[in-house]
Amino acid sequence: MSSTLTRRSLGRLLGATAGAAILDARFPGRLSAATLPSHAAGGPIRLSANENPYGPCQASLDAFARSSSEANRYPGAIEDEMKAALAKHHGVPEDRIVLGCGSSDILRMADSAFVPEGKTVVVAEPTFEAVLLYCKATKGEPVKVPQTTDYRHDLVGMAAACGAATGKTGMVYVCNPNNPTGTIVGAQELEAFVRRVPPSCVVLVDEAYHHFVESPSYKSAIELIGRHDNVVVARTFSKIYGMAGMRLGYAVASPARAQALQSHSSWNNTSQSGLAMGLAALADPDVVADQRRRINDARRWLCAELVRDNRKFIPSETNFVMIHVGGDIGPVAHAMRERGIQVGRKFPSMPDWLRVSIGKPEDMKAFVAALRQIVPAKAA
């Protein structure tokens, strides 16, 4: 897929006139360079950490308020309640669920369990860095496989890297959708990849951004676990559920892999409030669809503006977009901060690509206006 969308391809992406009507209704009017943020009340516009700008649903907020009466108690029974709820949600037995302090805690457990000293972990370059950071603590060896020319996982290269070190590769990490590129691995190609990887190698699929995906080629890897014992899936309440500050994540795995993860978990790695909020979010029938609609509509609007400006960007299936700025992002990020806008960090293998998280409509208008000042639009 080309990394630059044309007006025609954007129309197909948005669903032609229906998509355009939705965007026009939600984002009325064109932007001008004078459309800049006001920070007197709310501080900087945070488009840097792929957070959900809308926060938790009302049911979760109500559960948070109620949980204060249990703040003096360690989580115990409510952990079992959450495991049961997640097992029901995914249609798996409870012994396949492992809780974590955010999904990054699941990644830490996986490194500790599957990538000890002398083992390697195979990853795409670039990808979310947590697995590589935790790997240093376990004294495992990272193996980075560059992405393809269309900014996707090079599954052939990653499988070859696993096969070349048969017996030494402890884990291969697939962030799907990938952070920071926003691209996906389709269901069929993912299962074909799992078949090519040695069975002794754990395939850790990080689905932090699962709920934002709209491509029909994509499916959760959870359904692969029954057919492939070495697949482990990490999920989080940080993104679609708007609970990044509550640090609640989980893994779904085979009983043996779940037990291995659990043996490397920290004691009491969840909280009363986070669990209560998570249970309420799972029980809310509308939260996922509502949040996906609002955030994906804003992403589509942003992409439409980038096409109007003739900017190169990577089509995304997440709540962020990577935009080419024509040079090192450092000065651009600094200029954004001066305008009260926080944007994503630099990824060393893509130093001239700026990652911007999707915020509320007014946030995205402010970002585009600032971008047009800092990096003027190109002539068509």
Side-chain angles (χ1 to χ4, degrees), residues 2-282:
S2 170
S3 59
T4 304
L5 289 183
T6 64
R7 292 179 187 271
R8 181 176 298 176
S9 61
L10 181 70
R12 291 197 297 269
L13 180 66
L14 300 180
T17 56
I22 291 173
L23 296 180
D24 289 342
R26 294 190 179 279
F27 298 88
R30 290 300 303 275
L31 297 175
S32 69
T35 310
L36 294 176
S38 173
H39 310 292
I45 294 176
R46 294 176 53 166
L47 305 178
S48 57
N50 302 341
E51 297 157 330
N52 184 332
Y54 298 101
C57 64
Q58 188 59 51
S60 289
L61 294 175
D62 293 342
F64 176 78
R66 292 192 300 270
S67 71
S68 62
S69 63
E70 296 292 323
N72 61 319
R73 305 297 183 189
Y74 292 111
I78 194 170
E79 285 189 339
D80 295 334
E81 190 178 350
M82 173 57 82
K83 287 183 179 180
L86 288 169
K88 181 179 179 181
H89 183 72
H90 291 296
V92 300
E94 290 181 36
D95 63 356
R96 297 193 171 204
I97 304 294
V98 179
L99 300 180
C101 181
S103 61
S104 58
D105 191 31
I106 299 297
L107 307 190
R108 179 198 61 77
M109 292 182 212
D111 270 347
S112 186
F114 309 126
V115 195
E117 186 173 2
K119 292 285 188 177
T120 64
V121 57
V122 175
V123 303
E125 173 62 26
T127 196
F128 183 51
E129 308 96 332
V131 161
L132 300 178
L133 293 174
Y134 297 138
C135 180
K136 292 180 180 179
T138 68
K139 298 184 180 180
E141 178 185 346
V143 177
K144 299 179 181 180
V145 178
Q147 64 188 354
T148 62
T149 56
D150 57 351
Y151 311 104
R152 302 175 70 244
H153 283 70
D154 179 1
L155 296 180
V156 173
M158 293 174 71
C162 294
T166 300
K168 187 178 179 183
T169 304
M171 186 169 75
V172 57
Y173 173 70
V174 179
C175 189
N176 193 31
N178 190 39
N179 178 12
T181 58
T183 54
I184 61 169
V185 173
Q188 292 184 354
E189 58 182 338
L190 180 59
E191 183 159 20
F193 171 73
V194 172
R195 291 195 185 103
R196 289 196 298 268
V197 169
S200 60
C201 175
V202 169
V203 181
L204 176 59
V205 184
D206 185 346
E207 294 184 349
Y209 302 95
H210 160 82
H211 297 96
F212 300 108
V213 180
E214 296 177 328
S215 171
S217 71
Y218 171 91
K219 289 183 181 179
S220 171
I222 291 174
E223 69 175 40
L224 296 180
I225 296 172
R227 301 192 294 275
H228 303 279
D229 174 76
N230 58 331
V231 173
V232 175
V233 175
R235 287 284 188 93
T236 184
F237 282 83
S238 296
K239 306 305 179 183
I240 201 77
Y241 294 112
M243 291 171 49
M246 301 309 297
R247 312 311 301 130
L248 179 61
Y250 62 97
V252 185
S254 69
R257 305 297 184 183
Q259 186 175 13
L261 287 172
Q262 192 69 60
S263 69
H264 291 273
S265 69
S266 56
W267 195 266
N268 291 133
N269 64 345
T270 58
S271 70
Q272 289 279 6
S273 294
L275 291 165
M277 294 176 71
L279 285 168
L282 285 176

